[in-house]
């Protein structure tokens, strides 16, 4: 196999890069790296492209691979585009803040970063300076875990104001404008004082929130994103206060993803007059979906997970009828089990010329953080060139 050109080897390995659940096929890539010297380089390039689930047991090995050899380590570090890592104090395991800064410096082409932080309340100024310099090319940040009152999110967005894709998976109760005279958590703040506080400088293209932050924090996050926000994902239902904050952005949204659908969700949906994609993570049966759908939707995606299993697809069938521009319908395998409704749904889509996709990608797995030409967006090697 050594006679095969490395460029062709790379194409072959890219074809098998993802498993059916859209996770990197590390087993394939590790095996390919051992075939011969010609295969080793391309396989390692892809193997190190997405460094995930770095925890106390494997962080030392990863660190040694990047730092033990100046030439080989530098080459591997430049391959890394996506990094998922745990940061913690000595009693919590994980990577220390100092080691994290060193690792980030060793990944100069890093595009997306996912952080789980335990036992560290905030980063020291010296660490922030190093992180700011090392993360100049970062475009996507996922905060998987941190303390409820930790200011780390605000620290990172201040030094990485080039972030365009932001996902927050934990509740944030801290105060964005913390000073020596300002406590971490604030309530009942004067409206005039808030108006004078600077907002975040990041111009977000995508914002995904597992928990809705306080209105003050949401206002802060969206301050500079009036002309840029196109994708919004909410796992909590937005009440009137949060909906008012989101409303100026709603007419420009291209994609809305909702974990719950009720009258509050419907009120937000009605504001999204240019929507191209709607993703809902269950089949809504208590509140009708079809009446509130903007006709601009081209991709409708729904899930029927076991924990909220519904025995009817009628709300989705009615939604398909109400969407004149529908091009793609995405569902999960549970939809196929409702044979009669599923056949009706497929027939409705055929009449419209809409494609039906049965996705095996878990609903909690995020797509590639890239700007979208046409929905649906997914994880694909075709996105590699966009993540530079």
């Amino acid at each position: 196999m050594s006679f095969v050109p490395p460029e062709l080897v790379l194409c072959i390995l890219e074809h098998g890069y993802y498993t059916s659940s859209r996770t990197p096929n590390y087993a394939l890539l590790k095996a390919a790296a051992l075939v011969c010297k010609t295969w080793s380089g391309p396989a390692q390039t892809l193997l190190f492209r997405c460094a995930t689930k770095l925890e106390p047991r494997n962080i030392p090995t990863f660190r040694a691979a990047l730092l033990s050899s100046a030439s080989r380590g530098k080459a591997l570090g430049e391959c890394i585009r996506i990094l998922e890592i745990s940061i913690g104090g000595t009693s919590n395991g994980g990577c220390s803040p100092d080691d994290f800064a060193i690792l980030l410096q060793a990944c100069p082409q890093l595009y997306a970063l996912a952080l789980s932080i335990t036992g560290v309340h905030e980063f020291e100024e010296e660490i922030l300076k190093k992180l700011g310099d090392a993360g100049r090319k970062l475009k996507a940040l996922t905060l998987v875990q941190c303390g409820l009152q930790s200011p780390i999110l605000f620290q990172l967005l201040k030094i990485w104001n080039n972030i365009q894709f932001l996902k927050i998976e934990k509740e944030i109760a801290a105060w964005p404008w913390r000073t020596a005279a300002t406590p971490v958590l604030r309530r009942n703040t004067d409206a005039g004082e808030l108006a004078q506080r600077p907002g975040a400088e990041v111009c977000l293209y995508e914002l995904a929130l597992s928990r809705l932050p306080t209105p003050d924090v949401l206002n802060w996050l969206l301050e500079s994103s009036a002309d840029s926000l196109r994708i919004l994902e909410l796992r909590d239902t937005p009440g009137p206060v949060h909906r008012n904050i989101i409303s100026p952005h709603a007419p420009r949204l291209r994609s809305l993803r909702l974990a719950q659908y009720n009258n509050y969700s419907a009120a937000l949906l009605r504001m999204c007059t240019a929507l191209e994609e709607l993703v809902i993570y269950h089949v809504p049966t208590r509140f009708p979906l079809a009446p509130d759908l903007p006709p601009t939707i081209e991709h409708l995606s729904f899930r029927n997970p076991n924990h909220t299993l519904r025995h009817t697809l009628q709300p989705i069938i009615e939604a398909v009828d109400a969407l004149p521009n529908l091009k793609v319908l995405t569902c999960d395998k549970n939809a196929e089990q409702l044979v009669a409704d599923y056949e009706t749904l497929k027939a409705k889509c055929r009449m419209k010329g809409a494609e039906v996709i049965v996705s095996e990608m878990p609903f909690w797995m995020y797509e590639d953080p890239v700007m979208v030409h046409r929905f649906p967006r997914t994880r694909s090697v075709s996105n590699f060139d966009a993540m530079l």
Side-chain angles (χ1 to χ4, degrees):
M1 300 298 287
S2 60
F3 60 84
V4 180
E7 295 83 3
L8 183 56
V9 173
L10 185 63
C11 289
I12 294 170
L13 294 178
E14 283 182 347
H15 185 73
Y17 181 80
Y18 282 113
T19 65
S20 59
S21 60
R22 312 312 293 170
T23 57
N25 195 336
Y26 292 119
L28 170 69
L29 297 173
K30 288 177 182 177
L34 300 175
V35 170
C36 62
K37 188 174 182 179
T38 304
W39 283 60
S40 179
Q44 287 193 350
T45 295
L46 293 176
L47 190 59
F48 275 79
R49 191 179 194 287
C50 182
T52 62
K53 296 180 172 55
L54 291 179
E55 298 169 346
R57 60 184 176 80
N58 53 20
I59 285 176
T61 304
F62 178 72
R63 187 180 190 276
L66 297 189
L67 303 177
S68 59
S69 167
S71 57
R72 180 174 177 273
K74 181 180 180 181
L76 292 177
E78 289 181 346
C79 294
I80 297 172
R81 297 294 183 274
I82 300 172
L83 177 63
E84 298 179 10
I85 192 167
S86 298
I87 301 173
T90 54
S91 61
N92 298 87
C95 184
S96 72
D98 285 303
D99 283 343
F100 171 55
I102 293 171
L103 286 177
L104 211 61
Q105 290 168 341
C107 306
Q109 304 300 321
L110 191 65
Y111 179 92
L113 175 66
L115 292 176
S116 296
I117 303 172
T118 56
V120 177
H121 179 68
E122 62 185 331
F123 290 127
E124 297 176 357
E125 287 300 321
E126 183 180 349
I127 297 295
L128 288 173
K129 176 65 167 61
K130 294 177 181 178
L131 295 179
D133 294 338
R136 288 188 299 270
K137 290 196 173 183
L138 271 175
K139 292 292 187 294
L141 175 65
T142 300
L143 188 58
V144 180
Q145 183 176 346
C146 72
L148 177 67
Q149 298 185 24
S150 169
I152 281 179
L153 172 66
F154 312 122
Q155 289 183 313
L156 295 180
L157 291 183
K158 184 177 180 180
I159 61 171
W160 294 333
N161 57 16
N162 48 316
I163 295 294
Q164 296 175 318
F165 304 86
L166 178 63
K167 300 175 176 65
I168 306 173
E169 298 186 359
K170 297 296 290 185
E171 183 177 1
I172 301 294
W175 183 249
W177 305 283
R178 184 187 180 196
T179 65
T182 307
V184 175
L185 185 63
R186 287 285 298 270
R187 291 189 177 93
N188 302 322
T189 304
D190 179 78
E193 179 185 348
L194 277 177
Q196 298 175 20
R197 299 282 188 173
E201 295 181 9
V202 289
C203 298
L204 298 177
Y205 179 86
E206 177 177 2
L207 176 62
L209 299 170
S210 292
R211 297 294 305 274
L212 279 171
T214 64
D216 294 341
V217 172
L218 185 59
N219 260 320
W220 183 86
L221 284 172
L222 294 175
E223 175 69 27
S224 301
S225 302
D227 297 322
S228 61
L229 189 67
R230 295 296 179 267
I231 301 175
L232 179 64
E233 177 169 337
L234 302 174
R235 299 294 176 94
D236 284 346
T237 302
V241 175
H242 287 92
R243 191 168 66 246
N244 287 340
I245 296 170
I246 297 169
S247 60
H249 306 269
R252 296 183 183 88
L253 288 180
R254 296 179 61 200
S255 176
L256 180 65
R257 293 100 184 271
L258 300 169
Q260 304 179 53
Y261 193 78
N262 53 31
N263 57 341
Y264 286 149
S265 306
L268 175 60
L269 181 58
R270 287 192 292 271
M271 297 177 178
C272 302
T273 53
L275 210 60
E276 297 171 42
E277 176 185 66
L278 175 65
V279 179
I280 49 178
Y281 296 110
H282 67 288
V283 177
T285 55
R286 295 186 60 188
F287 295 88
L289 178 63
D292 299 306
L293 293 173
T296 52
I297 289 177
E298 297 181 357
H299 176 225
L300 176 63
S301 176
F302 73 95
R303 297 292 187 268
N304 193 17
N306 292 329
H307 67 280
T308 60
L309 189 67
R310 301 291 188 265
H311 297 286
T312 178
L313 299 180
Q314 191 58 39
I316 306 299
I317 294 170
E318 294 170 359
V320 169
D321 279 333
L323 294 174
N325 295 312
L326 187 68
K327 292 181 173 59
V328 182
L329 176 78
T330 301
C331 62
D332 60 13
K333 285 186 172 295
N334 280 348
E336 293 181 303
Q337 308 307 313
L338 305 175
V339 179
D341 279 4
Y342 184 65
E343 290 302 318
T344 301
L345 186 61
K346 287 199 298 181
K348 296 278 189 182
C349 289
R350 277 197 302 270
M351 291 173 61
K352 287 179 173 286
E355 179 185 5
V356 177
I357 298 175
V358 179
S359 175
E360 297 183 36
M361 185 169 161
F363 69 87
W364 61 84
M365 185 177 294
Y366 290 117
E367 306 156 1
D368 285 336
V370 295
M371 293 186 179
V372 185
H373 172 62
R374 175 170 291 177
F375 295 99
R377 182 182 61 174
T378 183
R379 288 186 168 188
S380 170
V381 294
S382 64
N383 292 327
F384 282 8
D385 289 342
M387 300 173 70
L388 296 175

